[in-house]
Amino acid sequence: MHATIASPIRSGQLLLDPGQVLGAVFSMPWVSLILAAIIAVGITVTPRWRTRTESRARLAPAASGVVFARYSPEHRTLGVAAIAVIVIFVAENLITGYALDLNGVVSWWRYATPVLTAGIGVAVLLALIATRGSTPPERPVLSARRTWLSFSPRIGSVGAAAALLALTVTTLLAGLASSNIDGGPYVFLEIDVPNETIDPIRPWFYGWAYGVPVLICTIALVGVVIAALHSNAARPFLRPETIVAEQRERRDIAAGITRITTSAALLALAGAWRFIADSGSINGLTIQGDGRSDSYETFWRYGEVAAVGGWMAPALEIAAFVLLLLTTTQLCPPRYDLESVAGVEKSAERETAW
């Protein structure tokens, strides 16, 4: 007896379905990276982005050199961390997808890698803030109590929280839906054959064997991100006249942290959704033997939802790469121009109003 799992292609369809071809193209991360690069370049040449960059360079008092020396290493660390997430993610996909045969191997790292890489990058930034970036003030500065949310961008924080929540919920639900065989790893999805006594189909699935490492890395990432945001906000200002410039620097650093966090969660989530969609798309089983062939229809009750997630996965990857590429612009933080005290006060008022 020989059993064959039927593909999602129904009779009468073309051998090369346009939708499947498009899905195969967008299953390659480097395709999403190319599209994201085009979008990111388009964003950086918009008048709004250029105006924001120019206003940042003007927003500083005569102590601009001190501010630049204090914060530029942190900006560069964020840029390097963003590049590391991109390079390691794409390299891992190319190596495991084309150079290595991982048939039968629980390659959990494919989904935990972007989260782990982002966590390491933010941890390096945290160490830099705690050592070099938290020097005592040159002159006493009175300011309100600050928390890890003080300089965090509202939209960016909500986006990061939503991405992390979606990744966590997806991982937990997929783990609960997974199964194992004889006490082995939870890497299977059982799809029953209706009205038949045939054993369920068990394709590989994003189960606990994949999800537990992702959850561990996610918890670690959240912890180090909150610590980094708190350290970035709570450290003392250098001088009273540098407060405006330092506030802007800390907002940019907090924005970079949230972008990297959101991107890592989206990359892991895209891989999970694609994996779940591939497993849940099986809709038939063919058993051949004794000179005959019997076909049976099968379906997973969440198959349609999984298919939607599979189609959304490339969009999540593109969004993640766009955020990472925008973060790489911090590799070259602009130096400040000198500005009069009156100009600084007006800039502070505009910043507060915004």
Side-chain angles (χ1 to χ4, degrees):
M1 302 285 288
H2 177 68
T4 304
I5 298 176
S7 68
I9 301 177
R10 298 187 179 94
S11 59
Q13 285 185 318
L14 295 175
L15 183 59
L16 294 178
D17 183 87
Q20 290 185 335
V21 173
L22 188 62
V25 171
F26 279 99
S27 67
M28 306 173 189
W30 58 268
V31 174
S32 299
L33 179 58
I34 292 174
L35 293 176
I38 297 173
I39 296 173
V41 170
I43 292 174
T44 57
V45 298
T46 58
R48 181 178 180 182
W49 181 275
R50 294 168 64 181
T51 301
R52 178 180 177 275
T53 303
E54 293 171 358
S55 64
R56 178 183 182 276
R58 291 194 301 269
L59 186 61
S64 59
V66 177
V67 176
F68 179 83
R70 187 184 200 189
Y71 292 95
S72 59
E74 299 168 16
H75 288 296
R76 294 191 178 98
T77 300
L78 284 170
V80 171
I83 292 176
V85 174
I86 295 173
V87 172
I88 293 176
F89 178 78
V90 174
E92 188 280 329
N93 274 267
L94 292 176
I95 293 173
T96 57
Y98 299 97
L100 299 178
D101 182 9
L102 298 179
N103 186 28
V105 178
V106 183
S107 53
W108 54 267
W109 59 86
R110 303 195 67 177
Y111 309 94
T113 292
V115 183
L116 177 61
T117 307
I120 294 174
V122 177
V124 172
L125 175 66
L126 172 61
L128 190 63
I129 294 174
T131 55
R132 180 173 176 174
S134 297
T135 55
E138 298 176 3
R139 292 203 300 272
V141 178
L142 295 178
S143 61
R145 182 177 177 270
R146 301 180 298 277
T147 68
W148 64 279
L149 291 174
S150 297
F151 297 105
S152 302
R154 293 181 181 178
I155 297 178
S157 299
V158 172
L164 290 168
L165 180 62
L167 176 61
T168 301
V169 171
T170 297
T171 302
L172 291 174
L173 293 179
L176 293 173
S178 65
S179 63
N180 66 349
I181 298 177
D182 298 330
Y186 280 79
V187 293
F188 299 103
L189 174 66
E190 288 191 355
I191 303 178
D192 294 322
V193 180
N195 304 319
E196 299 290 342
T197 58
I198 303 173
D199 288 340
I201 302 174
R202 294 185 176 90
W204 278 56
F205 185 68
Y206 181 71
W208 289 122
Y210 296 91
V212 169
V214 172
L215 291 175
I216 293 173
C217 292
T218 300
I219 293 172
L221 175 62
V222 171
V224 74
V225 164
I226 292 177
L229 291 173
H230 176 75
S231 297
N232 176 56
R235 53 182 163 169
F237 295 110
L238 291 172
R239 308 172 189 171
E241 62 268 23
T242 65
I243 290 179
V244 174
E246 290 192 77
Q247 286 177 337
R248 187 60 178 267
E249 293 288 346
R250 296 183 190 191
R251 276 190 287 271
D252 287 346
I253 291 171
I257 294 173
T258 55
R259 284 174 182 171
I260 291 177
T261 303
T262 305
S263 302
L266 290 178
L267 289 176
L269 184 61
W273 282 4
R274 188 178 285 117
F275 192 0
I276 294 171
D278 290 341
S279 304
S281 63
I282 296 172
N283 60 13
L285 174 69
T286 301
I287 300 178
Q288 298 176 343
D290 299 330
R292 63 174 188 166
S293 177
D294 297 321
S295 297
Y296 304 91
E297 290 188 0
T298 63
F299 66 93
W300 184 36
R301 56 180 175 175
Y302 302 113
E304 294 182 355
V305 177
V308 173
W311 278 105
M312 291 178 61
L316 298 184
E317 281 184 347
I318 293 173
F321 283 135
V322 168
L323 292 175
L324 289 171
L325 291 171
L326 292 178
T327 306
T328 61
T329 59
Q330 297 200 33
L331 279 171
C332 300
R335 287 186 176 273
Y336 291 112
D337 297 327
L338 299 183
E339 187 176 289
S340 64
V341 175
V344 174
E345 293 177 351
K346 291 180 180 179
S347 299
E349 293 174 358
R350 291 196 301 269
E351 190 70 28
T352 303
W354 184 85

